């Protein structure tokens, strides 16, 4: 064995530290114990991480090494103590459970009896200083057995820590005295303790967004993390005085098979945690995107054709978190059931609303100790229909929670869901009614997924369960995203979101049957289950499932929409909706009003589930405009669309006149004549009012910058010139801002109004944010007045996580998307100053940017430009097309490629 490997052998740490202790005591060195311990622990961690795969084994061995180190140091510390001095040292917390990660805290309980205050202080310092010198974070409590018990009686944190107390060194009688007193306290306080832990867990889950499926989860404190396992262990020990691993085969609230399943999940999480600590170089518990690839490589994951190594690792994480959630739910339910048995209350009859469903009155259900259970477990095992009738009942009465025995049975029977069961029309009718009418659809779908029933019944959902899209766009795993989207749809259906989504609410209110909308939303991520993820394959898969679920005539429409959840917002954010052509092309692709209605509802649900920032006021306005314009085209063709656009322009002008009511009529009329209908359609009334005030007060140019809910709004009024948009974008980047949206509006007299929505540098608020706004205003004003002599200095900002991702770059050109301009899309990885790089390249070619549209999807951005020649003509020259492509690819960066579509 190598010298570094020998350090993990029993006695190796003691041998090294004993020599260092002797050197310090004889005056040959000072602080040698701490230095030696630090080096030995580092070697131990490195050796274990290189030679041992399982995280639980690494954590246990690190704990034993720490035991040996502390015992050696403590033995020397008490060597000169009086004969009647009695000292015992116990490990508590995670250390007490023998679960030390490489950089975890070390929690100690130092018990004493018969020791004077000065002598005790000397002993404690002799123990702790070498640990501190070694760089360890030590949490210590120094008590007599009696004072330790008094502390635990009034402090739930201490009570919890002492449940994991494990003897390390010293007088075992002192530790046994503490243990016996603590056991009595545990018995007296068990009810209070259980209640306190339940409240703590609920508060912790609330703070983590009540979801174990966040794409960057917290291994320890997040829902479905290690802390949930710890809570189960603490409560079990508090109630029964023994560890969970000693659960009896019968009669306990947690059965051996449950404990084994929990142990396997814990083993996986500990493997993640020990390597995460080592990679970070600190006690970090969050699986952020930047660390996921390196961690996956450490744990032996490899890329597959349809999934990266990091995505495979995270899928396994989510599956384990799901299992922890299932077992946690069963644990609390069985605990409540045990308490209910003690009350000896009369049986509760099955509520009338649950006594029948779509299949008739003979339901195999009962209420047992206040929870929903099967009346006959044997019958439920024989007939899979009962499993679906169970969830149909919960959909009606979510206030009656699941019985643990029922969930256990469903989990074991889910494997019996065969193709015959999936093709059963009665089950399909039950399932669709369940998701359509559920009062708490998110919880219902989560539990169906946790039991395995949902994934077996809809295999495409099973294949995406636990999967994440590696990037900053989504906040949830894919199946949780689907559940959240269905939950939003249910709120829209109920009218709860009418103020936020009046169009979607009215659509659902007018529908006689809303079930196709729920099936569509449930299946809108199914394409990710395919290896070949093109639209046609996704649409065909969704159509097959929808047909099986009884969607009938709506199958084709819902499948088309579900395969294209981003199509509507893509057009809304990347096309000039002031042009009839953009709306007509979109409407032509949609083909029918029924499909349009479905697509709008799905767009809302999808974006609301993606993240809080994916749905904002600008997106709402654009999608609303696109919806009503497309509806006009689908109902009456080009003429109807033209009339709708004229009516919209008239209405917008009336709103503009109202907004400028305090202006003199002559001045107001003159200003509005400078704005085309298309320009007015692109700006909301509030922004228009601010832009008009700026244009009125400024002479040659002016800038108005202000803090808004979505970011910093900056309005620039200036004379148009070649490269102006690039100069302004460079000014934003030069002060550390990010352009989230820009709307370049050209007035009839050659002036421009450019409206920027800017994201300030990370973490700036208060005076720092105000300072950024002042700097932004100054930079934009300078750039508007005169072209800057030098390009802005750009650098990657601290905390900018976009750089960790790899995004293919591509340029697309479409000559048919606009009658008056060439539409070019530049797609790639977002970065500081990207808009500047792209627009500067276009300016150098002498092309005119008629309008610009930015769509951001996490780390990926699509910048769309409407381009013309300097004379205002549409660009058709092939050499110019090639030059534009080359400049934009250069601006996007390395690895870029071009895609010329409909260019000539």
């Amino acid at each position: 064995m190598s010298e570094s490997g020998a350090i993990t052998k029993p006695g190796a740490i003691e041998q090294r530290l004993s020599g260092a202790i002797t050197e310090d005591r004889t005056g040959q060195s000072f602080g040698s114990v701490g230095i030696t311990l630090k080096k030995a622990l580092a070697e131990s961690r490195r050796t274990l991480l290189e030679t041992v795969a399982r995280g639980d084994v690494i954590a246990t061995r690190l704990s034993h090494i720490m035991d040996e180190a502390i015992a050696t140091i403590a033995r020397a510390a008490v060597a000169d103590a009086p004969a009647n001095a009695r000292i015992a040292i116990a490990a508590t917390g995670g250390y007490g459970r023998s679960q030390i990660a490489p950089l975890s805290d070390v929690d100690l309980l130092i018990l004493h009896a018969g020791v004077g205050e000065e002598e005790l202080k000397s002993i404690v310092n002799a123990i702790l200083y070498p640990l501190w010198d070694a760089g360890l974070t030590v949490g210590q409590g120094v008590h007599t057995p009696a004072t330790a018990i008094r502390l635990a009686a009034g402090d739930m944190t201490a009570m919890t820590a002492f449940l994991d107390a494990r003897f390390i060194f010293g007088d075992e009688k002192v530790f046994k005295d503490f243990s016996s007193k603590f056991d009595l306290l545990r018995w007296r306080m068990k009810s209070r303790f259980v209640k306190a832990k339940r409240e703590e867990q609920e508060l912790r889950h609330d703070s983590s967004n009540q979801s174990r499926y966040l794409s960057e989860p917290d291994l320890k404190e997040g829902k479905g993390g290690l802390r949930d396992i710890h809570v189960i262990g603490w409560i079990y020990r508090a109630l029964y005085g023994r560890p969970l691993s000693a659960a009896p085969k019968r009669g306990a609230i947690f059965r051996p098979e449950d404990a084994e399943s929990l142990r396997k999940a814990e083993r996986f999480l500990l493997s993640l945690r020990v390597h995460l600590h080592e990679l970070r170089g600190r006690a970090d518990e969050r699986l952020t995107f930047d660390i996921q690839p390196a961690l996956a490589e450490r744990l032996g994951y490899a890329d597959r054709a349809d999934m990266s190594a990091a995505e495979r690792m995270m899928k396994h994480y989510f599956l384990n978190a799901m299992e922890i959630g299932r077992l946690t739910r069963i644990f609390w339910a069985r605990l409540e059931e045990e308490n209910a048995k003690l009350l000896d209350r009369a049986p509760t009859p099955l509520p009338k609303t649950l006594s029948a469903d779509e299949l008739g009155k003979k339901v195999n259900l009962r209420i047992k100790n206040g929870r929903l259970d099967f009346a006959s477990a044997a019958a439920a095992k024989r007939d899979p229909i009962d499993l679906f009738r169970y969830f149909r009942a919960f959909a009606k009465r979510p206030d009656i929670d699941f019985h643990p025995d029922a969930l256990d049975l469903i989990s074991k029977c889910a494997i019996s869901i065969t193709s015959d069961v999936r093709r059963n029309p009665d089950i399909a009718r039950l399932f669709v009614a369940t998701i359509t009418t559920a009062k708490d659809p998110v919880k219902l779908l989560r539990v169906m997924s946790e039991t395995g029933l949902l994934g077996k019944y809809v295999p495409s959902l099973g294949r995406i369960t636990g999967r994440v899209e590696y990037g900053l766009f989504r906040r949830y795993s894919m199946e949780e995203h689907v559940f959240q989207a269905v939950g939003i749809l249910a709120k829209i259906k109920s009218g709860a979101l009418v103020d936020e989504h009046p169009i979607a609410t009215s659509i659902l209110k007018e529908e006689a049957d809303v079930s196709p909308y729920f099936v569509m939303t449930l299946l809108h991520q199914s394409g990710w289950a395919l290896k070949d993820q093109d639209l046609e394959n996704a649409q065909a898969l969704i159509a097959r499932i929808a047909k099986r679920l009884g969607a009938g005539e709506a199958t084709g429409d819902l499948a088309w929409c579900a395969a294209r959840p981003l199509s509507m917002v893509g057009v809304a954010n990347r096309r000039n909706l002031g042009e009839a052509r953009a709306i007509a092309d979109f409407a032509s692709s949609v083909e029918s009003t029924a499909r349009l209605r479905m697509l709008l509802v799905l767009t809302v649900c999808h974006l609301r589930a993606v993240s809080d920032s994916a749905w904002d006021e600008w997106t709402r306005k654009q999608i609303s405009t696109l919806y009503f314009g497309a509806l006009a085209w689908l109902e009456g063709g080009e003429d109807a669309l033209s009339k709708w656009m004229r009516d919209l322009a008239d209405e917008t002008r009336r709103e503009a006149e109202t907004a400028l009511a305090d202006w003199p009529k002559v001045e107001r009329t003159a200003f509005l004549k400078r704005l085309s209908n298309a320009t007015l359609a692109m700006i909301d009334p509030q922004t228009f009012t601010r832009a008009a005030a700026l244009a009125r007060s400024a002479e040659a140019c002016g800038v108005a910058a202000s803090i808004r809910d979505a970011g910093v709004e900056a309005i620039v009024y200036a004379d148009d010139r070649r490269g102006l948009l690039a100069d302004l974008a460079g000014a934003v980047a030069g002060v550390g801002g990010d352009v989230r949206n820009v709307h370049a509006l050209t007035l009839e007299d050659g002036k421009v109004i450019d409206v920027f929505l800017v994201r300030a540098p990370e973490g700036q608020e208060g005076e720092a944010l105000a300072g950024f706004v002042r700097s932004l205003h100054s930079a934009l004003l300078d750039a508007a007045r005169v072209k800057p002599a030098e390009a802005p200095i750009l650098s990657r900002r601290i905390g900018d996580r976009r750089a960790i991702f790899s995004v293919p770059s591509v340029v697309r050109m479409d000559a048919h998307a606009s009658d008056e301009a060439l539409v070019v899309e530049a797609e790639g990885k977002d970065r500081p100053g990207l808009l500047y790089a792209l627009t500067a390249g276009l300016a150098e070619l002498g092309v005119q940017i008629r309008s610009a549209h930015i769509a951001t999807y996490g780390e990926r951005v699509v910048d769309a430009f409407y381009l013309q020649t300097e004379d205002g003509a549409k660009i058709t020259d092939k050499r110019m097309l090639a030059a534009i492509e080359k400049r934009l690819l250069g601006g996007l960066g390395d690895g870029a490629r071009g895609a010329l579509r409909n260019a000539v």
Side-chain angles (χ1 to χ4, degrees):
M1 180 179 288
S2 66
E3 183 179 349
S4 61
I7 193 64
T8 61
K9 293 179 64 178
I13 290 283
E14 181 180 3
Q15 184 178 357
R16 284 200 188 184
L17 290 179
S18 295
I21 290 170
T22 301
E23 288 181 7
D24 278 0
R25 286 199 161 194
T26 58
Q28 303 303 305
S29 64
F30 178 78
S32 177
V33 179
I35 295 171
T36 302
L37 177 58
K38 185 175 185 177
K39 182 178 179 182
L41 290 177
E43 290 180 13
S44 300
R45 288 193 292 263
R46 184 169 59 251
T47 299
L48 288 172
L49 287 164
E50 289 174 352
T51 60
V52 180
R54 283 176 43 176
D56 59 331
V57 174
I58 294 172
T60 299
R61 291 189 184 177
L62 285 175
S63 298
H64 292 168
I65 290 169
M66 190 64 69
D67 290 351
E68 187 178 323
I70 291 173
T72 302
I73 293 170
R75 189 176 295 112
V78 301
D80 298 329
N84 63 338
R86 299 162 62 201
I87 298 289
I89 301 177
T92 61
Y95 179 29
R97 294 188 300 273
S98 298
Q99 291 183 345
I100 282 190
L103 297 167
S104 293
D105 296 351
V106 176
D107 295 324
L108 298 175
L109 173 61
I110 302 175
L111 297 166
H112 63 91
V115 187
E117 185 175 340
E118 288 302 318
E119 294 165 338
L120 177 63
K121 183 177 180 181
S122 176
I123 293 171
V124 170
N125 286 342
I127 294 170
L128 295 180
Y129 272 101
L131 302 181
W132 291 332
D133 290 344
L136 297 173
T137 301
V138 183
Q140 77 279 356
V142 182
H143 294 280
T144 66
T147 61
I149 298 306
R150 282 200 297 272
L151 174 65
D155 186 336
M156 281 297 170
T157 301
M159 180 76 183
T160 304
F162 293 169
L163 280 168
D164 293 317
R166 177 175 58 83
F167 178 76
I168 297 176
F169 168 82
D171 193 313
E172 290 193 54
K173 289 184 179 180
V174 173
F175 182 74
K176 286 180 179 179
D177 183 25
F178 160 77
S179 296
S180 61
K181 287 181 170 66
F182 183 75
D183 201 45
L184 292 173
L185 177 69
R186 171 192 65 76
W187 180 255
R188 291 198 313 268
M189 290 186 60
K190 60 182 181 179
S191 295
R192 282 175 52 198
F193 182 79
V194 170
K195 182 180 178 183
K197 290 294 114 179
R198 184 65 182 264
E199 291 173 351
E200 283 179 17
Q201 187 176 60
E202 289 176 351
L203 184 62
R204 179 165 47 82
H205 287 174
D206 285 340
S207 66
S208 65
N209 202 24
Q210 274 292 346
S211 176
R212 62 182 59 88
Y213 306 107
L214 295 171
S215 56
E216 294 183 296
D218 187 315
L219 275 177
K220 186 176 179 181
E221 300 294 341
K223 193 173 184 181
L226 284 165
R227 187 64 80 215
D228 284 352
I229 298 177
H230 300 159
V231 168
I232 292 175
W234 290 329
I235 291 176
Y236 193 90
R237 189 183 286 268
L239 292 175
Y240 300 105
R242 58 176 177 260
L244 192 60
S245 57
K249 292 185 177 180
R250 295 181 180 275
I253 60 172
F254 220 55
R255 296 161 187 169
E257 61 268 27
D258 298 330
E260 175 62 17
S261 184
L262 201 66
R263 187 190 65 79
K264 289 180 179 178
E266 182 179 47
R267 187 172 75 190
F268 175 78
L269 294 184
L270 285 172
S271 294
L272 292 175
R273 190 175 188 227
V274 296
H275 288 284
L276 178 62
H277 278 209
E278 182 68 14
L279 285 169
R280 286 292 196 199
R282 63 180 188 273
D284 191 5
E285 312 296 348
R286 195 169 174 220
L287 286 175
T288 51
F289 286 123
D290 59 320
I291 204 68
Q292 289 175 14
L295 190 56
E297 183 180 359
R298 275 284 189 102
L299 295 177
Y301 288 91
D303 292 343
R304 293 290 184 266
D306 61 336
M307 205 180 301
S308 70
E311 288 173 326
R312 291 182 63 225
M313 180 191 72
M314 292 307 298
K315 181 178 177 69
H316 289 165
Y317 167 81
F318 288 120
L319 291 176
N320 279 280
M322 181 187 298
E323 178 65 1
I324 294 169
R326 184 184 74 85
L327 294 171
T328 299
R329 193 185 304 278
I330 287 175
F331 176 80
W332 284 114
R334 286 196 180 131
L335 188 60
E336 290 176 11
E337 186 182 22
E338 288 295 309
N339 293 333
K341 287 178 182 178
L342 299 176
L343 299 177
D344 193 27
R345 59 188 179 188
T348 304
L350 190 69
K352 189 175 181 180
T353 55
L354 305 187
S355 61
D357 56 29
E358 285 74 10
L359 303 188
K361 293 186 177 181
K362 292 183 178 179
V363 293
N364 179 21
L365 298 172
R366 64 171 175 169
I367 303 299
K368 182 182 177 184
N369 294 322
R371 290 175 174 267
L372 189 64
D373 196 10
F374 292 109
S376 169
K381 290 177 182 178
R382 290 193 302 269
D383 191 353
I385 289 180
D386 281 354
L387 310 185
F388 293 89
R389 299 184 86 174
Y390 181 86
F391 283 104
R392 180 70 184 101
F394 177 80
K396 299 176 185 177
R397 290 290 302 274
D399 56 312
I400 304 176
D401 213 341
F402 304 102
H403 194 281
D405 292 342
L407 294 183
D408 195 40
L409 184 150
I410 293 169
S411 297
K412 291 173 180 175
C413 292
I415 196 171
S416 67
I417 305 302
T418 62
S419 58
D420 289 338
V421 175
R422 287 191 284 269
R423 287 194 295 265
N424 186 313
D426 289 337
I427 291 179
R429 204 150 48 98
L430 271 177
F431 177 74
V432 172
T434 297
I435 63 172
T436 303
T437 64
K439 295 180 179 178
D440 189 352
V442 176
K443 181 177 180 180
L444 181 142
L445 289 168
R446 278 181 187 160
V447 177
M448 285 191 79
S449 180
E450 289 169 4
T451 60
L453 183 64
L454 182 62
K456 287 293 183 180
Y457 185 62
V458 186
S460 64
L461 284 176
R463 286 193 287 272
I464 66 170
T465 295
R467 184 166 181 178
V468 296
E469 183 182 11
Y470 185 63
L472 299 174
F473 185 49
R474 300 175 189 259
R475 57 181 161 184
Y476 297 119
S477 62
M478 288 186 182
E479 84 285 1
E480 178 67 8
H481 169 89
V482 169
F483 303 161
Q484 293 288 338
V486 173
I488 292 163
L489 178 60
K491 289 181 180 179
I492 294 173
K493 170 179 167 273
S494 71
L497 299 179
V498 64
D499 292 337
E500 299 170 68
H501 304 293
I503 304 172
T505 302
S506 67
I507 288 172
L508 293 184
K509 189 175 181 180
E510 293 167 4
E511 292 286 356
D513 179 13
V514 297
S515 63
Y517 288 81
F518 281 84
V519 174
M520 170 185 66
T521 307
L522 184 74
L523 301 178
H524 82 279
Q525 296 294 287
S526 293
W528 285 92
L530 299 169
K531 288 187 177 180
D532 188 3
Q533 296 172 8
D534 63 52
L535 288 176
E536 288 72 21
N537 287 340
Q539 185 174 337
L541 170 65
I542 294 166
R544 288 196 299 272
I545 301 170
K547 185 177 180 180
R548 172 167 62 80
L549 294 177
E553 294 179 356
T555 296
D557 288 339
L558 78 82
W560 189 93
C561 296
R564 299 165 176 82
L566 286 172
S567 61
M568 191 172 197
V569 71
V571 174
N573 284 342
R574 287 147 51 184
R575 289 295 179 267
N576 182 358
L577 301 186
E579 290 190 356
R581 183 63 175 271
I583 297 174
D585 285 351
F586 169 73
S588 177
S589 70
V590 174
E591 295 183 348
S592 71
T593 57
R595 190 176 287 180
L596 177 66
R597 290 158 65 89
M598 281 188 161
L599 189 58
L600 178 126
V601 172
L602 179 61
T603 300
V604 171
C605 295
H606 177 75
L607 292 179
R608 286 288 301 268
V610 163
S611 69
D612 292 332
S613 61
W615 181 270
D616 55 22
E617 183 58 26
W618 171 252
T619 303
R620 183 203 64 75
K621 177 183 180 297
Q622 290 293 94
I623 287 177
S624 299
T625 300
L626 181 58
Y627 172 79
F628 285 117
L631 186 63
W633 188 93
L634 289 167
E635 291 179 343
E638 298 286 351
D639 291 341
L641 175 59
S642 297
K643 181 180 182 304
W644 177 83
M645 295 192 75
R646 287 195 301 271
D647 292 344
L648 177 63
D650 291 341
E651 181 183 351
T652 305
R653 285 194 177 275
R654 286 194 296 271
E655 289 179 353
E657 287 185 1
T658 301
L660 306 182
D662 58 337
W663 286 29
K665 183 176 180 180
V666 174
E667 187 179 356
R668 181 172 66 242
T669 302
F671 179 75
L672 290 175
K673 281 183 178 181
R674 299 166 66 191
L675 302 170
S676 67
N677 289 343
T679 298
L680 280 172
M682 291 180 64
I683 190 168
D684 65 85
Q686 293 77 21
T687 305
F688 169 79
T689 302
R690 293 190 288 272
L694 175 65
R696 184 188 191 192
S697 59
E699 295 180 2
C701 67
V703 174
S706 57
I707 300 170
R708 302 290 165 187
D709 290 340
V712 178
E713 178 190 82
I715 303 172
V716 180
Y717 174 74
D719 290 315
D720 199 8
R721 67 169 186 264
R722 180 194 292 186
L724 175 62
L725 182 58
D727 295 338
L728 297 176
V732 174
V735 297
D738 257 337
V739 178
R740 290 185 58 191
N741 275 310
V742 59
H743 307 296
L745 313 176
T746 302
L747 279 64
E748 298 296 316
D749 57 357
K751 289 281 191 177
V752 294
I753 297 176
D754 289 345
V755 182
F756 291 86
L757 182 62
V758 178
R759 181 172 52 231
E762 192 74 24
Q764 288 200 354
E765 55 185 24
E767 182 54 37
L769 180 58
F772 168 77
V773 174
R774 288 192 293 270
S775 298
L776 176 66
H777 182 279
S778 177
L780 286 172
L781 188 58
D782 288 345
R785 283 172 173 164
V786 61
K787 186 175 183 64
E790 297 179 354
I793 299 174
L794 306 175
S795 61
R796 181 185 170 189
R797 292 189 290 275
I798 296 174
D800 188 346
R801 299 193 296 152
R802 293 171 296 187
I804 67 177
F805 299 98
S806 176
V807 180
S809 299
V810 60
V811 173
R812 292 179 290 269
M813 298 186 182
D814 193 336
H816 300 315
S818 170
D819 294 329
E820 300 176 357
L822 171 71
V823 178
V824 180
E825 289 187 344
E827 178 178 354
K829 181 166 68 178
D830 199 9
R831 68 174 191 269
L834 176 61
L835 181 63
Y836 165 74
L838 298 176
T839 52
L842 293 173
E844 290 172 2
L845 292 175
V847 299
Q848 180 183 163
I849 301 174
R850 184 180 173 195
S851 66
H853 312 268
I854 297 175
T856 304
Y857 310 95
E859 71 284 354
R860 181 171 65 92
V861 65
V862 182
D863 289 353
F865 304 101
Y866 280 63
L867 303 181
Q868 294 177 329
T869 66
E870 284 188 300
D871 297 331
K874 190 171 183 176
I875 299 172
T876 57
D877 182 76
K878 290 185 178 180
R879 286 178 297 180
M880 179 57 77
L881 295 176
I884 291 170
E885 180 185 337
K886 183 177 180 179
R887 287 299 180 99
L888 291 179
L889 289 175
L892 288 168
D894 295 336
R897 58 189 174 85
L900 201 63
R901 180 171 65 88
N902 294 332
V904 292

